[in-house]
C-alpha cells in the first residue's frame, strides 16, 4: 500500500516501455502504433552583424542602461528625500510635544 510507484516514461517515439518486464511471455505481439517521422523544422536564417549594425546595437544597449540607471537613481533619491523630511517632521513634533508638557 505504501510502496513507491515509479511512473512509466513514454519515449519520444510514442511507444511506452514499462520499467518492469512482463511476467508471462505473449504469443504474438501486436503492433500498436506505426512509426511517424518527426517533422522537420524549416532552416533558420543566420543573423550577420555588419560593423554599422553592431555599433547601433551597442549604442542602443548603452542608452537603455543609462535610462534605467537614471530612473533607479531618481527613485533612490526620492526615497532619501522622503526619509529626511519624515525625520525632520518627527524632530519638530517631538520638540512641540516637549514644550506642551512643560507648560510653555
Amino acid at each position: 500500500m505504501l510502496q513507491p510507484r515509479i511512473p512509466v516514461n513514454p519515449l519520444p517515439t510514442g511507444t511506452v516501455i514499462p520499467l518492469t518486464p512482463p511476467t508471462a511471455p505473449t504469443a504474438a505481439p501486436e503492433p500498436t502504433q506505426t512509426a511517424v517521422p518527426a517533422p522537420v523544422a524549416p532552416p533558420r536564417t543566420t543573423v550577420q552583424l555588419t560593423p554599422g549594425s553592431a555599433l547601433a546595437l551597442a549604442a542602443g544597449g548603452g542608452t537603455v542602461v543609462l535610462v534605467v540607471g537614471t530612473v533607479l537613481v531618481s527613485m533612490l533619491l526620492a526615497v532619501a528625500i522622503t526619509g529626511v523630511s519624515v525625520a525632520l517632521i518627527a524632530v519638530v513634533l517631538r520638540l512641540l510635544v516637549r514644550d506642551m508638557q512643560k507648560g510653555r
Side-chain angles (χ1 to χ4, degrees):
M1 183 170 104
L2 297 176
Q3 294 176 352
R5 301 200 182 264
I6 301 173
V8 177
N9 297 325
L11 294 176
T13 58
T15 59
V16 177
I17 299 175
L19 295 176
T20 58
T23 56
T26 57
E30 296 179 11
T32 57
Q33 190 176 21
T34 59
V36 178
V40 178
R44 293 186 179 191
T45 59
T46 57
V47 177
Q48 296 179 353
L49 291 177
T50 61
S53 63
L55 184 62
L57 187 64
T63 303
V64 168
V65 167
L66 288 176
V67 168
V68 169
T70 303
V71 168
L72 291 177
V73 167
S74 64
M75 289 173 63
L76 179 65
L77 186 60
V79 169
I81 290 172
T82 303
V84 168
S85 64
V86 167
L88 286 175
I89 290 172
V91 169
V92 169
L93 285 177
R94 183 176 161 202
L95 290 173
L96 288 175
V97 167
R98 186 186 302 169
D99 285 344
M100 286 175 46
Q101 287 177 349
K102 286 185 178 181
R104 293 184 185 181

